[in-house]
Amino acid sequence: MKKIVILTGAGISAESGLGTFRDEGGLWAQHRVEDVATPEGFQRNPELVMDFYNTRRAQSATALPNAGHKALVRLEADFAGEVVLITQNVDDLHEKAGMKRVMHMHGALSGALCAACEHRWPAPMIMAPGDACPACKAPAARPDIVWFGEMPYDMDIIYDHLADADLFASVGTSGNVYPAAGFVSEARRNGARTVEFNLEASAAGALFQDRRLGPASETLPAWVSELLGA
Ligand code: BJW
């Protein structure tokens, strides 16, 4: 086996205290998706959207990685082949755990983006509507987050990795949001074995050949030990 591609979602950060989206009491039970995770919502009420992400940036800053994040670091360090980590998460817990290569397909709380010139820079802890872009000076700063209707990052690179993955693992994601929800089918079509890690079988659960049910902080360390043979 030469290449393992791993997709993570909000479930891997749940045990670090960060909320998921669609679980009971999750972020989408507290906020309307259209209000806080679409470009139209941002146009209508930028204060609300900035507050939503300022709050989550503050929560993420104090959160600590858990045993699930750390198991993937061990895999990246000790696996003889290539480990590719794609995350839908906008927190930085994979990096805090020590992961060297992380693709944030839905952006990152740590980033700011200019809606006028697409310049990117590190986000301050508190962003406000009308903050100026340091490059073009337009008052057009927004969080560097991929909202519904926008193109996720690194899609060409991701599909290249899915084309020659030997093993595809999906961790803590409900499989409701595309294009990430389609990665399992893409990987299978290209001959990869597929495994899902979740508390319960997800919406896309039937598409996976293997399933490890339980908290990722327990199932991932066990899986990594199996893969590494120790
Ligand atoms: C545990 C656990 C523990 C809990 N251990 N597990 C109709 C059909 C198909 C597609 C579309 C359609 N209509 C519109 C679309 C496209 C749309 C889409 O998918 N909509 C769906 C709602 C249908 N997608 C888009 O618009 C995307 N862009 C796009 O498609 O561009 C065009 C394109 C086409 C083709 C190729 C390329 C591009 C953009 C999507 C942007 C998503 N943005 C968000 C918010 C921004 C980020 C943020 O604020 O954080 O990203 S939405 C939100 O959902 C967030 C997440 O990254 C994403 C996925 O959520 P996730 O991670 O799965 O969380 P949950 O809560 O859903 O699940 C948690 C899971 O963990 C659960 O299963 C638990 O059981 C589990 N769990 N604890 C293990 N301890």
Side-chain angles (χ1 to χ4, degrees):
M1 185 163 57
K2 291 188 184 135
K3 184 184 279 196
I4 303 173
V5 176
I6 302 164
L7 171 71
T8 62
I12 195 171
S13 296
E15 292 170 81
S16 294
L18 300 181
T20 61
F21 295 92
R22 295 168 187 83
D23 294 318
E24 206 180 318
L27 289 166
W28 293 162
Q30 301 162 44
H31 305 270
R32 278 169 25 110
V33 183
E34 307 79 34
D35 290 340
V36 294
T38 62
E40 295 78 17
F42 184 57
Q43 269 185 350
R44 271 197 309 274
N45 193 342
E47 286 83 7
L48 176 77
V49 177
M50 287 298 200
D51 281 352
F52 178 67
Y53 285 102
N54 286 340
T55 302
R56 290 180 56 206
R57 195 175 296 110
Q59 289 165 344
S60 170
T62 55
L64 295 173
N66 62 58
H69 298 99
K70 289 176 191 167
L72 298 183
V73 175
R74 182 174 171 227
L75 185 65
E76 183 184 53
D78 294 349
F79 179 63
E82 188 182 3
V83 174
V84 175
L85 179 66
I86 305 158
T87 188
Q88 298 170 88
N89 298 342
V90 296
D91 65 58
D92 62 354
L93 293 182
H94 287 300
E95 288 89 343
K96 273 189 193 161
M99 203 79 191
K100 292 201 170 61
R101 282 176 54 198
V102 185
M103 274 185 271
H104 281 272
M105 66 176 289
H106 289 166
L109 290 165
S110 58
L113 166 69
C114 177
C117 75
E118 297 191 2
H119 176 68
R120 290 193 166 76
W121 68 99
M125 279 305 286
I126 305 287
M127 292 184 72
D131 279 354
C133 167
C136 75
K137 312 297 178 206
R142 54 166 277 186
D144 189 7
I145 302 286
V146 177
W147 289 322
F148 282 106
E150 297 183 324
M151 182 64 82
Y153 292 135
D154 298 326
M155 291 313 301
D156 290 348
I157 303 171
I158 289 171
Y159 281 115
D160 281 351
H161 284 305
L162 292 171
D164 61 0
D166 298 299
L167 177 59
F168 173 78
S170 170
V171 183
T173 176
S174 61
N176 278 295
V177 176
Y178 287 84
F183 291 173
V184 56
S185 303
E186 186 70 18
R188 267 190 89 156
R189 204 172 14 255
N190 295 322
R193 280 203 68 77
T194 54
V195 53
E196 171 174 56
F197 295 84
N198 204 308
L199 288 179
E200 56 198 24
S202 73
L207 300 170
F208 291 85
Q209 291 152 316
D210 299 327
R211 191 167 298 135
R212 305 286 175 105
L213 299 185
S217 65
E218 294 173 15
T219 52
L220 282 179
W223 178 66
V224 168
S225 292
E226 273 172 45
L227 282 176
L228 297 177

